[in-house]
Amino acid sequence: MTRILLASAALLLSGTSLAQGQLTVYTGRAKTFVEPIVQQFERSTGIKVNVRYGTDSQLVAALREEGSRSPADVFWGNSVGALGELAEDGKFLKLTSAMVRGVAPDYVPDDRSWLPTTVRFRVLAYNPNKIKPGDLPDSVLDLPKMTSLKGRIGWTVTYPSFQDFLAGMIAKHGEATTKAWLEGMKALQPKDYKTSNVGMLEAMRAGEIDVALTNHYYIQRVNRLNYPVETYFFKNGDIGNLGNATGAGILKTSKNRAAATRFLQALTGKDAQTFFLSVNFEYPVIGNIIQPTTMLPYSDVTKRSPRLDPAVLPKNIEKAQRLLREAGLL
Amino acid sequence: MTLRRRLPPTLALPALLTALGVVLPLAYLVLRAFGAETQELRDIVFRMRNLELLRNTLGLALGVLAAGTAVALPLAYLAARTTFRPRWVLTLLGVLPLAIPGYVGAYALIAASGPGGTIQALTGLAWPGPSGFWGALGVLTLFTFPYLFLNLHAALRTQDPALEDAARLLGRTPGQTFREVTLPHLRPAWLSGGLLVTLHVLGDFGVTSLMRYPTFSAAIYQQYTAAYDRVYSAWLALMLLAVTGLTLWLEARLMRGVFLARVSPGGARQPPRVPLRGWVLPAWVFVGLLGGAALVVPLGTVAYWLRLEQNPYALAGLWDATRSALTAAGVAALTTTALAFPLAYIGNRYAGRAARVTERVAYLGYATPPLAFALALIFFVLRAAPGLYQTFSLLILAYTLHFVAEAIGPIRTSLARATPRLEEAARVLGAGPGRTLWRVVLPLMRPGLLASAAFVFLSVLKELPLTLLLAPTGFDTLARNVWTYTEEAQYAAAAPYALVLALGGALLTILILRRERP
C-alpha cells in the first residue's frame, strides 16, 4: 500500500517538464512499429522521445481540443485522411524541399505539409481453396457484378484505408459512379468488419467469406500464420489497387523543431525503412531496400496504382462518408 | 429508513465532485452537438438508422441481462447455499471472467472457432464462430455475468436465515420459501448487478464491433474512428445518455420501498447449506460448460498464441506495463471506493430528492462514452488547469469519476443490510459520528467495500480510451498492449499481456475468497 502511494506520488510530481532535447510524438501507428525506431533514435541523438499512442482519429480529436496548448511536436499517422485533416486545419509546418528530396515523389503532398513514411496498396484478398483468381473481375468497379459472391464478400467500412480508397474512387470516377458502386455492393450483402482487417481475414480462414477488400500487408501477416489467404491485384491503374501513404508532419505547436526535423529524417532513413518493411511488409519510400520474395517489387506494384495527388484524398473523405451514411452503411 | 434530512457538508462534497464528472462531458457534448448547421442537424438526428440502433441496443441489453441472470443465479445459489465442493471452483468461475477484457474474449473465441481455428487444431472439431446478435449476446454474457454473480452471491450468503425459518414454520415448502422469501430479498442485489451489466452492454463497443452488431456505442466508436467531424458522435452520445437515463429511472422505480435489514441484528447467523444429492452431476455439467466457454477457450487460445513466434520487443515492455497498470488500478480502486462510500451512504440513509438524484448521477457518468469523457476533460482541463493535463492525477480523477458507479452497488447492498438501528444505538451509547462510522458501519460494510474495490481494480486494468488519451505520455498499460497487438494480428506478442491481465484477476479473486471465508 505504502509503495503504491509512493509510486503514485512520484508519478504526480513527474508531470510534464519540457527540457531541451525532448520530443513528444503523437502516433496512430502500432507500438511494434514505433518503439524500436524511437529507441534507436534516442540512442543515436540523445534526444528523449515521449510517445503517445492512440488511433489516428482519437489523436486528431485530441490535437483539436488541445489547440495551441498542445504538447505535441510530431504527428505520425496511419492514413492520409488524418494527415490531410490536420493539414487542412493548418496544424503542420511546411517542410523544406531538402527534406522531401529522394522520398517517393508520387506520395508527397504538393503543399509539403507532411512526409510519407511508408506506402501500402489496396488489394483483394481471396481464399485460394474457394476462388480461382481467373474468375475475379479486372476492375473493382465490376465487383458488384459478381453475384456468385453474394454474402461471401468482406469489407471494413470504418477503416481509414477503406475510406481513403472510396475517396480515391470519387476523385477518379466521380460521386455518381461511387454511389452506384456502393449500392451494387450492398446488394451483394457484404459483411462489414468495421475497423478490423485482422478480424476479417480470421473470418476468411474460418470460411465465413471468400474475398475481402483490404491492405496488402494484412495478407502478408496472416500468411505467416499459414492462413489460406492470397493477394489479387486488379488491372493496372485500377482504383482497387490504390497506393496510399502513411506519413508524419511537424506541428506548429512544436517547441523543438530541430529535434522534430531530425526525427522525420530518421523515419525516412535506411534503417527505419528496412525495419518497416521487415516487420510490417509496407513498401519503403526510398530506394535500395531489399524486399521479401513474397511481395511484388515496388517498381511493379506502383504501376498498378492509379496516379492521384495525395492531397486529393483527404478532400474527398467527407463526401465518401456522406455516401456511406446515405447508403446506411455508416 | 430515513435518519436525517439535511446533508452535512462532508457528504455534500463528494456529491458535487461526482456531479462534475457528469456535467462536464454533458456540457462538452452539447457544445459539439450544436456545432452543425440546421439542415445537417436534421439529417443526423432524424435518421432511420438511429431507430435501428435504439432497437439493437435495448434488445441486446435485455438479452444479456436475462442470459446473465440465467447463468449467475444458479451459480450463486450453488456457491452460497449448497454443499457443492470444492467451493473455490465456483467463486473463481464467478469472478475470473471479469479479468478477461470483452474484446480479448471475443477475439479469442473468433480465433478459436471455424476451420483452422485453435479448437480444430487441438481437437479436430470446427466450431461455428460467434457473430451478430447471438454472438454479441453470448460473449457479453460470458464476460459480464460476474457482476450479477458477485451481488447475488453476497446477498444469498448474508440473507438472514430467520426469515426463511419463519416461512418454513408457517408451513411453506422449500420451493415456496425460495420463491416468496429468498427471491424477493435478492431484488436489490439483482438490481445493482443487473444495472452494471446493462450499463456495460450499453457502453460496449469492442465486442459489438467485433461481432458486427450495430449498437449506439459501436456507432459512436466508429464515428470517432472514421469521421473527423464530432457532431454526429456527439448526438449519438447524447442519445445513448438518454437511454441510460431511462434505465436508471426504471431501476429507481423498482428499488422504491425496499426494506431489507436483518431481523436479528445481533449475531450474523449464516443460512444453512442444502445437500446436493442427485444434483451433483448436473451441477458439474453446468460448471464445466460455463467454465469451458468463459475461461478454458479464451485462456487456452491465448496460451496457444504463446507458442507462435515471439517478438522480443513486445516482451521487453511487459514489466513496465504491468507495473503502471497495477499502480493505476490500485490507486483508482482506493479513490473510487472512497468516493462511492459517501454517495451510497447518502442514497441509502438520507431522504429527499437531492439524495436520490446524487446517487443516480454517478451512474450517468458510467454511461458517458469514455472517448467523449476524455475529450471533454482535455477541453476543460487545458482551459482551466493546464498544469494538470496528461498527469497521473488527472488520469486517476477520470477513472474515479467514470467507475464510481461500479463501486456503489456492492456498498449499497451492504448498507441496505446494516440496519440503521445499530448506528442509532452507537450514537445513543455516546459514540461520536466518526467513532460510529469506524467501529460500527465500516466493519459491517467490509465485504461490500472489498467487492467495490475489486470491481474497479479489474475495470481499470481493462480500460482503454481514457488511458490512451489522458495518461502521462509514455505511460503504458497491459490492456493497451493487448489491444494494439491483437489489432495487428500479432497474437504471440499480445498473449503475455493478456495472460498477466488474467493472472492479476485471478490473484484478486483469491484475495476476495480468503477474505470472504467466515
Side-chain angles (χ1 to χ4, degrees), chain A residues 1 4-5 7-9 11-12 14-16 24-26 29-33 35-36 39 43 50-62 64-67 69-71 78-79 81-83 85 157-160 163 190-199 202-203 205-208 217-218 221-222 224-225 227 275 279-280 317-318 321 324-326 328-330, chain B residues 28 32 40 44 47 49 107 110-118 129-131 208-210 212-214 218 221-230 232 308-309 311 313-314 316-317 324 326-327 330-331 334 371 375-376 378-379 382-383 386-387 389-394 465 467-476 480-481 483-491 493 497:
Chain A
M1 176 60 78
I4 293 178
L5 290 176
S8 49
L11 274 165
L12 295 179
S14 65
T16 48
T24 299
V25 176
Y26 281 18
R29 305 243 69 195
K31 193 182 168 194
T32 352
F33 314 140
E35 192 91 316
Q39 281 172 8
R43 271 197 306 272
N50 305 306
V51 187
R52 172 162 303 270
Y53 297 95
T55 65
D56 273 9
S57 53
Q58 285 169 355
L59 294 170
V60 168
R64 282 180 171 169
E65 301 302 355
E66 287 170 357
R69 297 176 180 87
S70 175
N78 237 338
S79 63
L83 291 160
E85 284 288 327
V157 168
T158 324
Y159 189 64
Q163 303 197 346
K191 297 203 165 94
D192 180 9
Y193 294 87
K194 314 295 176 194
T195 59
S196 181
N197 286 273
V198 172
E202 283 285 352
R205 185 264 305 150
E208 221 177 275
Y217 53 86
Y218 283 107
R221 271 189 233 162
V222 295
R224 277 196 168 177
L225 305 168
Y227 285 10
F275 172 77
V279 296
N280 201 25
I317 281 186
E318 235 167 84
Q321 288 176 349
L324 283 170
R325 236 175 260 158
E326 280 169 13
L329 292 165
L330 194 71
Chain B
Y28 167 81
R32 289 281 168 254
E40 196 191 342
I44 284 172
R47 293 183 69 199
R49 186 170 159 80
Y107 247 120
I110 289 172
S113 50
T118 329
S131 74
T208 43
S209 295
L210 277 172
R212 300 186 290 106
Y213 191 68
Y221 178 70
Q222 278 182 60
Q223 278 299 316
Y224 276 126
T225 308
Y228 298 99
D229 92 89
R230 292 160 285 180
Y232 186 45
L308 306 170
E309 193 187 337
N311 167 347
Y313 275 111
S324 34
L326 291 180
T327 313
V331 175
L334 286 179
L371 223 45
L375 290 174
I378 296 179
F379 180 84
L382 275 175
R383 274 158 186 78
Y389 187 52
Q390 294 184 351
T391 58
F392 187 71
S393 334
L394 183 66
T467 317
L468 282 179
L469 288 186
L470 297 176
T473 303
F475 188 88
D476 200 11
R480 208 200 56 75
N481 281 283
W483 169 73
T484 150
Y485 288 130
T486 39
E487 275 288 285
E488 299 293 332
Q490 302 196 328
Y491 295 144
Y497 292 90

Side-chain angles (χ1 to χ4, degrees), chain B residues 495-507:
Chain B
Y497 292 90
L499 282 182
V500 172
L501 204 59
L503 197 71
L507 287 177

Side-chain angles (χ1 to χ4, degrees), chain B residues 49-71:
Chain B
R49 186 170 159 80
N50 294 341
L51 265 186
E52 186 198 327
L53 291 177
L54 179 68
R55 201 193 53 211
N56 287 354
T57 306
L58 291 179
L60 191 64
L62 287 177
V64 173
L65 187 60
T69 309
V71 172

Side-chain angles (χ1 to χ4, degrees), chain B residues 363-387:
Chain B
Y363 283 94
L364 215 53
Y366 190 55
T368 309
L371 223 45
F373 184 38
L375 290 174
L377 277 180
I378 296 179
F379 180 84
F380 286 111
V381 165
L382 275 175
R383 274 158 186 78

Side-chain angles (χ1 to χ4, degrees), chain A residues 35-188:
Chain A
E35 192 91 316
I37 301 290
V38 163
Q39 281 172 8
Q40 204 195 10
F41 181 77
E42 287 182 327
R43 271 197 306 272
S44 63
T45 62
I47 298 168
K48 167 102 182 64
V49 183
N50 305 306
V51 187
R52 172 162 303 270
Y53 297 95
T55 65
D56 273 9
S57 53
Q58 285 169 355
L59 294 170
V60 168
L63 281 169
R64 282 180 171 169
E65 301 302 355
E66 287 170 357
S68 59
R69 297 176 180 87
S70 175
D73 296 291
V74 169
F75 176 78
W76 178 10
N78 237 338
S79 63
V80 290
L83 291 160
E85 284 288 327
L86 291 176
E88 206 169 298
D89 284 3
K91 291 221 182 267
F92 285 132
L93 279 179
K94 184 172 177 161
L95 301 175
T96 61
S97 53
M99 275 191 81
V100 301
R101 198 165 299 141
V103 175
D106 289 347
Y107 299 98
V108 176
D110 292 343
D111 62 1
R112 295 205 304 267
S113 52
W114 51 270
L115 190 66
T117 48
T118 56
V119 178
R120 56 273 191 87
F121 294 87
R122 294 296 297 174
V123 294
L124 189 70
Y126 68 96
N127 181 341
N129 303 330
K130 303 272 187 69
I131 299 280
K132 284 200 279 292
D135 296 339
L136 292 168
D138 280 349
S139 167
V140 73
L141 293 175
D142 294 329
L143 199 56
K145 291 182 191 151
M146 301 287 292
T147 43
S148 58
L149 290 175
K150 190 168 181 179
R152 316 289 305 161
I153 305 176
W155 64 2
T156 50
V157 168
T158 324
Y159 189 64
S161 287
F162 176 84
Q163 303 197 346
D164 290 344
F165 148 72
L166 217 56
M169 191 187 284
I170 294 172
K172 189 162 186 246
H173 300 282
E175 251 186 90
T177 309
T178 309
K179 195 177 162 73
W181 184 80
L182 279 176
E183 290 299 333
M185 286 296 287
K186 222 182 128 185
L188 294 186

